[in-house]
Each structure stands twice: as structure tokens, then as C-alpha cells.
Amino acid sequence: MTEKIGVNDVLSTLNSLITLINYSIQQSNDKNFRDALITSRNSLENYQWQIYLIAKDKGYYVPAAPAGQADLEEVKNSIS
């Protein structure tokens, strides 16, 4: 396994975990459990950001180009 594959696998796994925890937060009806999930999610998001920056700096991950003004207006119009 190359470093690039490993880094991208970690990013993908973190993204999946964050999505699962977000769903769990939405479904939780216990305040203490919900708070623990939020703390875990926040930690994972910080870790995910650090890994993302490494991947981006090494050229392992190329983010999508920013949306243009026309794209933003199209989305705004479609949801209003």
C-alpha cells in the first residue's frame, strides 16, 4: 500500500465515521450520550482536517474548484 492510498483511506474512513456519528446525534434522546457523541465528532473533524491538509499539501487530494457565482445563484433559485 502506498502512502497516498493509506492517507486517502484514512480520509474516507473518517468521513464515514463523522457521517455515522452525525446520524447518531440526530437520533439520540439522551443528553449525556448526545454530548459525548458531539465531543467525539468534533475531535474526529479536527483530525480529518489535519489529514486533509497533509493530503492536499502532498498532492494526494485535489479539492473541487470553487463554485462560480452563476452556480451559486442557480442553487439559491432552486431552493427558494
Side-chain angles (χ1 to χ4, degrees), residues 72-80:
L72 296 173
E73 290 300 321
E74 182 180 337
V75 171
K76 277 189 209 177
N77 292 335
S78 71
I79 60 174
S80 57

Side-chain angles (χ1 to χ4, degrees), residues 24-39:
S24 299
I25 290 167
Q26 294 168 2
Q27 301 304 314
S28 177
N29 65 355
D30 180 277
K31 175 75 169 129
N32 291 331
F33 182 61
R34 188 175 188 284
D35 289 346
L37 288 173
I38 290 169
T39 299

Side-chain angles (χ1 to χ4, degrees), residues 18-79:
I18 291 166
T19 299
L20 179 61
I21 290 173
N22 277 332
Y23 177 77
S24 299
I25 290 167
Q26 294 168 2
Q27 301 304 314
S28 177
N29 65 355
D30 180 277
K31 175 75 169 129
N32 291 331
F33 182 61
R34 188 175 188 284
D35 289 346
L37 288 173
I38 290 169
T39 299
S40 294
R41 184 211 45 211
N42 292 345
S43 294
L44 285 172
E45 285 179 344
N46 288 330
Y47 184 53
Q48 186 269 353
W49 181 250
Q50 292 170 5
I51 299 297
Y52 161 77
L53 292 175
I54 291 168
K56 185 178 159 207
D57 288 345
K58 291 185 173 228
Y60 298 160
Y61 180 84
V62 179
Q69 190 61 37
D71 296 323
L72 296 173
E73 290 300 321
E74 182 180 337
V75 171
K76 277 189 209 177
N77 292 335
S78 71
I79 60 174

